């Protein structure tokens, strides 16, 4: 029998003690068996690492990469990938869950120069209306995956239509080609990375299977308006996205983004968010 390719699952943690064991269990229960788990921690102050160490004693192929100092989400991801032994990897937050067949399905549908984005199931928040709104938004974005690579590039400069927790497998060659995750935007790992990907000829494809459970809660970055993530988003727009929009004469999108950041700058100033 042909040996399965080793796939590294990079689990990104920070103060994840309440959820990390559920995440790890969802990985070890995968139908695809040749998996290593790399837990990359960003200097958690709770018992995250204690729980992971205990889990690692009874489960094989679990590696811990502790942080020396708090470095932010993108740097924490890069740290975990550099410690991995596989050429292919899947990134997951320490509070999300993989469906049992996730890695197997991602692997069967893997393509060079394509990033697969699967469907997802939101969970965790008692506000059903909020979770339904999130699901509806990304459902409306399905048109994005039917566009040409060139048109996907234009859309991504305007806004982010991709649900990051649904992202499938990446490979080391792709990462080295686009330049890893951008570490200067400490609380935004996905948007800068995706824009670099389309600028390097990579496209996105949708897979209509629910392969991940995406936790929405007040403690997660996605759970509510977060000033730290907003700061990274604002910085990324003015340093990179705005220049791209102007260069390609996407003036309406440029103005719309300016209005958005002006609005939230005012709300933050008067402590309204």
């Amino acid at each position: 029998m042909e040996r399965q390719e080793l796939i590294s699952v990079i689990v990104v943690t920070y103060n994840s003690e309440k959820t990390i064991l559920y995440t790890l269990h969802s990985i070890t229960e995968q139908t695809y068996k040749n998996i290593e788990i790399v837990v990359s921690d960003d200097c958690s102050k709770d018992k995250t690492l204690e729980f992971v160490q205990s889990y690692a004693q009874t489960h094989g192929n679990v590696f811990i990469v502790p942080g020396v100092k708090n470095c932010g989400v993108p740097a924490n991801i890069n740290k975990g990938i550099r410690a991995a032994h596989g050429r292919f990897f899947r990134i997951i937050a320490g509070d999300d869950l993989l469906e049992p067949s996730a890695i197997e399905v991602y692997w069967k549908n893997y393509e060079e120069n394509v990033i697969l984005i699967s469907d997802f199931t939101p969970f965790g928040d008692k506000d059903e209306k909020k979770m339904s709104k999130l699901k509806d938004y990304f459902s409306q974005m399905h048109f994005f995956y039917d566009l040409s690579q060139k048109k996907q590039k234009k859309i991504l400069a305007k806004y982010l239509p991709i649900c990051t927790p649904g992202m499938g497998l990446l490979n080391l060659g792709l990462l080295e080609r686009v330049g890893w995750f951008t570490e200067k935007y400490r609380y935004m790992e996905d948007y800068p990375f995706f824009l670099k990907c389309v600028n390097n000829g990579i496209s996105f494809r949708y897979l209509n299977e629910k392969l991940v459970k995406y936790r929405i809660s007040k403690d997660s970055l996605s759970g509510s308006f977060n000033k730290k993530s907003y700061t990274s988003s604002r910085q990324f727009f003015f340093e990179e996205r705005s220049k791209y929009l102007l260069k390609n004469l996407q003036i309406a999108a440029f103005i719309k983004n300016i209005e958005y950041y002006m609005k939230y700058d005012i709300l933050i100033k008067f402590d309204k968010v």
Side-chain angles (χ1 to χ4, degrees):
M1 180 181 292
E2 184 179 351
R3 179 174 171 80
Q4 288 183 320
E5 182 80 35
L6 174 64
I7 294 178
S8 303
V9 180
I10 314 300
V11 185
V12 184
T13 59
Y14 177 71
N15 291 345
S16 307
E17 66 176 12
K18 295 179 181 178
T19 59
I20 184 59
L21 292 180
Y22 297 104
T23 301
L24 294 177
H25 182 71
S26 78
I27 301 169
T28 55
E29 290 299 303
Q30 290 294 299
T31 56
Y32 189 100
K33 295 305 179 184
N34 195 15
I35 291 175
E36 69 168 3
I37 301 174
V38 180
V39 179
S40 186
D41 187 72
D42 201 13
C43 294
S44 291
K45 299 176 182 178
D46 62 3
K47 295 182 179 180
T48 298
L49 288 182
E50 292 180 39
F51 290 166
V52 176
Q53 288 166 353
S54 177
Y55 192 88
Q57 290 175 4
T58 56
H59 296 78
N61 263 15
V62 179
F63 304 94
I64 302 171
V65 188
V68 177
K69 64 177 182 178
N70 184 267
C71 58
V73 181
N76 196 28
I77 292 174
N78 287 340
K79 176 164 62 76
I81 295 171
R82 289 189 175 101
H85 300 93
R87 293 186 301 119
F88 297 87
F89 49 91
R90 208 285 181 184
I91 301 162
I92 185 171
D95 57 356
D96 291 339
L97 307 173
L98 292 177
E99 296 290 357
S101 63
I103 297 300
E104 183 176 0
V105 174
Y106 284 133
W107 178 244
K108 285 181 178 179
N109 288 275
Y110 175 80
E111 296 179 61
E112 291 284 346
N113 296 318
V114 173
I115 295 179
L116 194 68
I117 306 294
S118 72
D119 202 351
F120 67 98
T121 303
F123 80 110
D125 199 302
K126 295 180 179 180
D127 188 343
E128 293 293 334
K129 186 176 181 180
K130 180 194 295 184
M131 290 200 290
S132 178
K133 186 177 180 180
L134 175 75
K135 183 69 176 175
D136 288 345
Y137 172 78
F138 285 112
S139 294
Q140 294 169 14
M141 297 296 109
H142 286 176
F143 77 93
F144 170 79
Y145 303 99
D146 294 325
L147 300 175
S148 67
Q149 198 275 341
K150 185 177 181 180
K151 289 183 178 179
Q152 287 184 350
K153 185 176 178 180
K154 287 187 176 181
I155 291 291
L156 268 173
K158 296 179 181 180
Y159 55 86
L160 181 62
I162 300 168
C163 182
T164 305
M167 181 170 62
L169 302 180
L170 302 175
N171 70 73
L172 191 59
L174 181 149
L175 197 65
E176 292 173 341
R177 174 177 156 193
V178 304
W180 297 73
F181 287 84
T182 306
E183 298 185 4
K184 67 176 177 178
Y185 307 121
R186 285 177 56 89
Y187 303 100
M188 174 182 277
E189 80 286 4
D190 49 2
Y191 205 166
F193 177 70
F194 291 152
L195 195 56
K196 286 199 294 187
C197 284
V198 291
N199 283 327
N200 280 274
I202 295 161
S203 60
F204 296 84
R205 182 166 69 84
Y206 175 70
L207 180 63
N208 188 22
E209 290 193 47
K210 295 179 179 179
L211 299 179
V212 61
K213 291 184 178 179
Y214 178 18
R215 188 184 298 273
I216 309 298
S217 72
K218 63 181 178 62
D219 297 320
S220 64
L221 287 178
S222 58
S224 61
F225 184 88
N226 184 286
K227 292 181 181 179
K228 290 181 178 179
S229 59
Y230 170 78
T231 299
S232 290
S233 173
R234 189 183 191 282
Q235 181 186 2
F236 174 54
F237 172 74
F238 284 102
E239 290 186 359
E240 296 189 38
R241 285 204 299 125
S242 60
K243 296 175 184 177
Y244 182 89
L245 290 172
L246 291 174
K247 180 180 178 181
N248 290 276
L249 300 178
Q250 294 176 270
I251 307 302
F254 173 81
I255 294 173
K256 188 174 183 179
N257 275 273
I258 290 291
E259 291 173 343
Y260 167 83
Y261 289 109
M262 287 179 63
K263 170 189 172 182
Y264 277 100
D265 284 349
I266 293 171
L267 291 175
I268 290 172
K269 182 177 181 179
F270 292 98
D271 200 26
K272 297 296 183 180
V273 291

